[in-house]
Amino acid sequence: MTAEVPPEVERILFTQEQIEARIDALATEISHHYRNRSLKLIGVLKGSVFFLAALARRLEVPVKIDFLAISSFSNKSGAPGMVRIAKDLDESIEGEDVLLVEDIVDTGFTLRYLLQTLAGRGPNSLAVCTFLDRNSRRIVQVPVEYRCFEIPDHFVIGFGLDHNQLYRNLNYVAVLKRESE
Ligand code: IMP
Ligand code: MG
């Protein structure tokens, strides 16, 4: 059964086959880097869930998984980039090799906040793996060790990414039509 492409889709950026091939390659790279160690994957809810699950299945090192959720808000003057933890991790990360798994890094505000917070909890190592990277919109510089795809400056949906909480379950990544934004 082939699901229909919703009318809000402008064009497909990455097909399921392209995504799977890229995650395969990334998993091999990560497994090599962390060989003889175990890895704690930390997923940022909800967008990273699909990517994290696909990546974790392909990793060849022992993995633990934990999640946190954040919420972003603007301050009184309307400046973006204020982030807080809405749901914290279940377990400590002290002494662990942590890979923070994100759906997309855009301005970098979310990631900067998360890295500062997690670094303060004493992990043995802390690195970032993002499904998508929109580097052209970066406002704060953040380290990104692993990325699946660099994307152009368009709003995208699918494979975990939503628009008003919809379309996370598309098995491809698509550009949302302008008029739908
Ligand atoms: P930033 O890097 O702090 O600007 O924010 C990144 C967050 O904004 C991501 O974790 C997503 O939740 C959301 N986001 C940014 N761009 C997109 C997009 O194109 N589609 C869906 N969500 C997005
Ligand atoms: Mg997110």
Side-chain angles (χ1 to χ4, degrees), residues 13-71:
L13 263 189
F14 307 114
T15 64
Q16 182 173 14
E17 291 70 30
Q18 288 173 316
I19 293 169
E20 283 175 2
R22 188 64 196 113
I23 296 178
D24 256 344
L26 206 60
T28 302
E29 198 184 328
I30 293 170
S31 300
H32 182 74
H33 183 89
Y34 290 94
R35 66 188 176 281
N36 304 325
R37 288 190 276 173
S38 65
L39 189 55
K40 175 164 276 186
L41 302 179
I42 294 184
V44 185
L45 294 171
K46 310 178 183 94
S48 73
V49 166
F50 291 72
F51 174 50
L52 185 145
L55 179 70
R57 283 201 295 267
R58 292 168 168 91
L59 290 174
E60 291 155 30
V61 292
V63 298
K64 296 181 192 171
I65 294 173
D66 206 346
F67 292 100
L68 54 74
I70 46 122
S71 61

Side-chain angles (χ1 to χ4, degrees), residues 102-110 134 154-156 161-162:
E102 261 285 22
D103 52 357
I104 182 168
V105 185
D106 190 36
T107 62
F109 282 120
T110 306
R134 198 191 284 115
H154 299 297
F155 194 89
V156 295
L161 290 112
D162 73 302

Side-chain angles (χ1 to χ4, degrees), residues 120-133:
R121 299 183 184 184
N124 182 53
S125 67
L126 178 58
V128 174
C129 178
T130 189
F131 179 50
L132 303 178
D133 188 352

Side-chain angles (χ1 to χ4, degrees), residues 65-127:
I65 294 173
D66 206 346
F67 292 100
L68 54 74
I70 46 122
S71 61
S72 330
F73 51 96
S74 301
N75 66 13
K76 280 184 200 136
S77 56
M82 312 285 286
V83 183
R84 66 173 183 85
I85 291 186
K87 179 226 171 287
D88 209 336
L89 298 171
D90 288 334
E91 281 158 23
S92 162
I93 57 168
E94 196 176 338
E96 302 212 72
D97 290 300
V98 172
L99 188 62
L100 183 60
V101 181
E102 261 285 22
D103 52 357
I104 182 168
V105 185
D106 190 36
T107 62
F109 282 120
T110 306
L111 190 54
R112 181 176 65 176
Y113 171 80
L114 289 174
L115 286 174
Q116 282 170 351
T117 304
L118 296 177
R121 299 183 184 184
N124 182 53
S125 67
L126 178 58

